[in-house]
Amino acid sequence: MLEVKNVRVKYDTATILDDASLNVEKGELVGLVGPNGAGKTTLLRAIAGLINWDREVLRGTRKSDVTFEGTIEFEGERIDRLSAFGVAKKGIQLCPQMGRPFPEMSVKDNLLAGAYLCKSRKEVQQSLTRVYELFPRLKEREKQLAGTLSGGERQMLAVGRSLMRRPKLMLVDEPSSGLAPKIKDDLFKRVEEIYKELGVTILLAEQDISFAFALSKRNYVVSRGHIIAQGTAQELLKDETIRKTYLGM
Ligand SMILES: Nc1ncnc2c1ncn2[C@@H]1O[C@H](COP(=O)(O)OP(=O)(O)OP(=O)(O)O)[C@@H](O)[C@H]1O
Ligand SMILES: [Mg+2]
């Protein structure tokens, strides 16, 4: 479904991703694990077409430049030259790290903003119902301003908003970061439900190895911009160097 080949991203002279390749099959949940600054977010942003966006923005300022090399295919089509909007229209949705809602808008309006690719009012309503079933807490707080939500609720809103568009592939960036164990468990179950029951294919970036490994079928390990290993949780944990050096377990 998704095929990333030899992707390299450079901001000025700093190489952030080097020769990164990975693939995700339809119906899989694939983990992308690695420590702070490894390049997980950059890889998800590259898939979502946001490096192209950076390039346009930076070119405008003439202060720095960004280079993108490599190819990204989705359902057999090249998507690496599309805008972020073009990528979203293909059915790929990035669920950003730390949520980032529109703070001055209500929870419900944030969700509706996520539905901009829905074709009809009925579809929007169905998506909203589905998100509220998944996250009753968002329903309870639908009128509250998103900027006043707790960290956990904000994360739920980010996942909910990404689902509104009914994506085929969701790129979920560290949903568990900064959450208390109980909320983390709850979010874990919701991500599992999205993948198993709603049938959404997921590429999940996580620093929390146990969170990713408990959900994923396969994983890629990223370190300093390189994908240094791939395999099932069991395979990766069996390799002592990977376990100690890269997974810190
Ligand atoms: N726009 C940018 N300009 C310059 N450097 C950048 C830019 N975006 C990211 N980087 C750098 O790229 C490296 C990788 O960052 P990235 O956010 O992809 O890591 P990450 O694996 O997601 O880390 P974390 O787990 O902390 O979220 C970091 O050193 C970061 O400072
Ligand atoms: Mg990140």
Side-chain angles (χ1 to χ4, degrees):
M1 187 185 214
L2 177 76
E3 187 94 38
V4 175
K5 280 189 204 148
N6 313 110
V7 163
R8 171 184 293 184
V9 174
K10 271 168 78 178
Y11 286 99
D12 290 323
T13 52
T15 304
I16 309 296
L17 276 180
D18 201 5
D19 206 20
S21 300
L22 62 79
N23 75 299
V24 179
E25 299 300 331
K26 193 170 184 319
E28 271 191 318
L29 189 151
V30 173
L32 185 64
V33 298
N36 279 132
K40 303 177 297 295
T41 298
T42 305
L43 186 49
L44 297 190
R45 294 184 76 245
I47 299 167
L50 285 164
I51 304 296
N52 294 339
W53 186 80
D54 285 350
R55 184 163 43 204
E56 291 311 311
V57 172
L58 292 174
R59 209 172 261 161
T61 66
R62 291 175 193 277
K63 281 193 184 134
S64 58
D65 201 9
V66 38
T67 319
F68 174 94
E69 286 167 27
T71 61
I72 304 175
E73 282 181 16
F74 181 64
E75 296 185 320
E77 262 182 88
R78 285 278 293 267
I79 57 163
D80 48 88
R81 297 203 185 107
L82 298 181
S83 65
F85 182 56
V87 174
K89 278 202 290 193
K90 298 279 176 203
I92 299 179
Q93 183 55 50
L94 175 68
C95 176
Q97 194 166 357
M98 313 300 283
R100 305 225 192 101
F102 298 112
E104 304 299 331
M105 278 164 58
S106 70
V107 166
K108 186 174 177 186
D109 286 343
N110 264 275
L111 290 173
L112 293 176
Y116 70 93
L117 287 170
C118 287
K119 290 186 188 71
S120 64
R121 249 179 215 217
K122 193 171 152 223
E123 217 179 274
V124 174
Q125 199 48 53
Q126 281 170 348
S127 288
L128 195 62
T129 307
R130 193 164 79 166
V131 170
Y132 282 159
E133 275 168 13
L134 208 56
F135 298 108
R137 178 86 69 104
L138 295 181
K139 170 77 182 152
E140 271 168 37
R141 298 183 177 258
E142 66 176 357
K143 295 202 180 84
Q144 189 173 327
L145 291 185
T148 64
L149 291 176
S150 72
E153 291 162 349
R154 214 174 266 222
Q155 203 60 58
M156 291 174 199
L157 178 58
V159 176
R161 192 174 63 179
S162 310
L163 258 185
M164 288 296 289
R165 266 158 241 188
R166 305 161 167 251
K168 295 179 193 168
L169 170 68
M170 250 167 96
L171 311 168
V172 187
D173 199 357
E174 298 210 34
S176 81
S177 93
L179 301 184
K182 196 168 163 293
I183 300 176
K184 216 186 240 194
D185 284 350
D186 187 55
L187 203 70
F188 179 94
K189 290 194 190 94
R190 300 293 88 82
V191 175
E192 193 173 34
E193 229 173 300
I194 292 168
Y195 153 62
K196 289 197 172 149
E197 286 165 35
L198 304 179
V200 181
T201 306
I202 296 180
L203 178 59
L204 172 72
E206 261 300 340
Q207 235 185 96
D208 184 331
I209 310 288
S210 7
F211 189 99
F213 281 6
L215 279 168
S216 64
K217 197 174 147 204
R218 295 186 296 124
N219 304 274
Y220 290 89
V221 183
V222 201
S223 171
R224 297 169 183 232
H226 292 269
I227 290 183
I228 54 103
Q230 63 163 306
T232 62
Q234 249 181 339
E235 285 163 355
L236 293 171
L237 292 173
K238 226 169 29 193
D239 186 316
E240 205 172 302
T241 317
I242 293 177
R243 185 163 53 82
K244 289 198 174 141
T245 317
Y246 297 103
L247 304 177
M249 293 182 96

